[in-house]
Amino acid sequence: MTQPPNSTAAPQAIRTPVPIHHITTPQLSIAYEAHGKVYGDPIILLHGFPYDPRAFDEVVPPLVARGYRVIVPYLRGYGATRFLSPDTMRSGQQAALAQDLIDMMDALGIPCAALAGYDWGGRAANIVAALWPARVRCLVTANGYSIHDIANAATPASPEAEYRLWYQYYFHTPRGAEGLTANRRALCNLLWGLWSPSWDFLPERFAHTAPSFDNPDFVDVVIHSYRHRFGYVPGDPALAAIEEALAAKPLIAVPTISLCGEDDGVTPPRQPDPDERYFSVSYERRILPRVGHNIPQEAPAEVADALLELLLATRQTS
């Protein structure tokens, strides 16, 4: 029986540790989990902050059952993913996440894949779909168009929107960086609860993810991410061309389904949909009742169904 979105039942998939593989890219040794047959059509699932691949434990099985190859990487700064050089900038900017995705696809020999992601992972998927559409068969994203508009990021929003971003402003300060260093598990656990108020997650769920925050680069990458998106710190010079392209707010021209949690404690869905104008081909927004920010873990069936629907629709053109 399918569990409702806010179920506290532990998923079967987390009972058995998933083998971790590694692939080398120009900057990283990326840790990833692989499921299904290697010759199946590829799907890449991308987590956000502060989560990890465990968010997709219940999304993977129905995709594998349909014959797909499913790759679930640990983003830079998470889990067993490591920088190859101590001299590489620990950037968390949006362009770095997108470049990591392209580099990983190249290293794995994947010319084109279906992408699904949320939060940081959704942003990486949005960017690759916008700038490298030939590499993306279809896209399932959370909260629509999530590419940062850095030039206008410092413009004040409504008070209701501003208070939800307290953690970002906290990370802009030395105190916030020290706080994340000293209290990373407690702080991330707090954010899980604030961002998904309708999801009564068991402590075991968080405990399965929390070790990913012990990555030695976690704090540096997170702090840089939240400072760069507001224009308060410079980015990696090697990524300047990507950031320049993103400043033009490029359209996404791949078939897309956007999933939005009605109870999202960070970015609740707005009416009318403000992001539809950024998608130039098939696009649909679905608002999920009693679901918060951690969409794949709160509503795994809806994520899997959206992917399978798009994969079926693009079967002749992939």
Side-chain angles (χ1 to χ4, degrees):
M1 178 181 296
T2 301
Q3 297 290 340
N6 65 339
S7 170
T8 58
Q12 291 183 353
I14 66 174
R15 296 176 185 173
T16 303
V18 180
I20 295 178
H21 306 270
H22 296 266
I23 194 73
T24 300
T25 67
Q27 288 195 340
L28 300 169
S29 171
I30 296 179
Y32 69 96
E33 298 170 5
H35 309 266
K37 299 176 180 178
V38 295
Y39 53 78
D41 289 347
I43 301 170
I44 301 176
L45 307 177
L46 299 149
H47 71 83
F49 167 85
Y51 308 99
D52 82 341
R54 301 281 66 75
F56 294 101
D57 278 340
E58 293 174 274
V59 177
V60 169
L63 304 178
V64 171
R66 298 292 186 93
Y68 293 102
R69 176 190 183 189
V70 183
I71 304 294
V72 194
Y74 291 79
L75 300 186
R76 56 170 55 202
Y78 293 79
T81 291
R82 295 289 186 273
F83 287 87
L84 300 179
S85 169
D87 299 325
T88 300
M89 182 179 185
R90 270 43 177 175
S91 172
Q93 70 194 91
Q94 58 181 353
L97 302 174
Q99 187 65 62
D100 290 346
L101 176 53
I102 286 290
D103 289 344
M104 184 187 71
M105 292 175 68
D106 289 345
L108 290 172
I110 298 175
C112 181
L115 304 180
Y118 69 113
D119 198 86
W120 287 21
R123 187 162 302 113
N126 269 233
I127 294 169
V128 172
L131 300 185
W132 294 276
R135 306 296 300 269
V136 182
R137 175 171 172 175
C138 56
L139 171 66
V140 174
T141 183
N143 300 310
Y145 190 85
S146 58
I147 296 174
H148 290 309
D149 181 8
I150 296 175
N152 295 305
T155 302
S158 69
E160 291 82 3
E162 293 280 23
Y163 94 90
R164 299 177 189 276
L165 303 183
W166 67 268
Y167 66 99
Q168 299 190 18
Y169 308 143
Y170 180 53
F171 292 157
H172 294 169
T173 68
R175 182 185 180 99
E178 290 295 328
L180 182 62
T181 301
N183 305 303
R184 68 186 73 189
R185 294 197 182 199
L187 179 54
C188 292
N189 188 73
L190 173 66
L191 295 178
W192 274 39
L194 293 176
W195 294 355
S196 298
S198 302
W199 184 40
D200 297 324
F201 62 89
L202 292 172
E204 288 81 2
R205 286 188 182 264
F206 181 79
H208 279 88
T209 288
S212 286
F213 312 147
D214 296 332
N215 182 299
D217 301 305
F218 176 75
V219 172
D220 287 344
V221 170
V222 169
I223 295 301
H224 184 266
S225 173
Y226 288 103
R227 293 179 180 179
H228 181 269
R229 67 183 63 187
F230 281 84
Y232 295 148
V233 295
D236 185 340
L239 300 170
I242 296 177
E243 292 291 355
E244 183 178 352
L246 297 177
K249 306 185 82 170
L251 299 182
I252 293 176
V254 303
T256 300
I257 292 177
S258 171
L259 301 177
C260 302
E262 187 175 55
D263 295 343
D264 191 327
V266 188
T267 52
R270 292 182 289 163
Q271 297 288 0
D273 182 358
D275 294 333
E276 185 175 6
R277 58 186 169 142
Y278 294 113
F279 295 85
S280 61
V281 295
S282 171
Y283 169 79
E284 179 186 355
R285 182 173 77 157
R286 299 174 181 175
I287 297 177
L288 308 178
R290 300 186 66 200
V291 172
H293 193 67
N294 188 4
I295 290 174
Q297 207 159 8
E298 297 179 64
E302 287 80 354
V303 175
D305 288 348
L307 271 167
L308 291 171
E309 181 178 328
L310 288 172
L311 286 161
L312 178 62
T314 58
R315 183 170 54 185
Q316 301 300 321
T317 58
S318 64

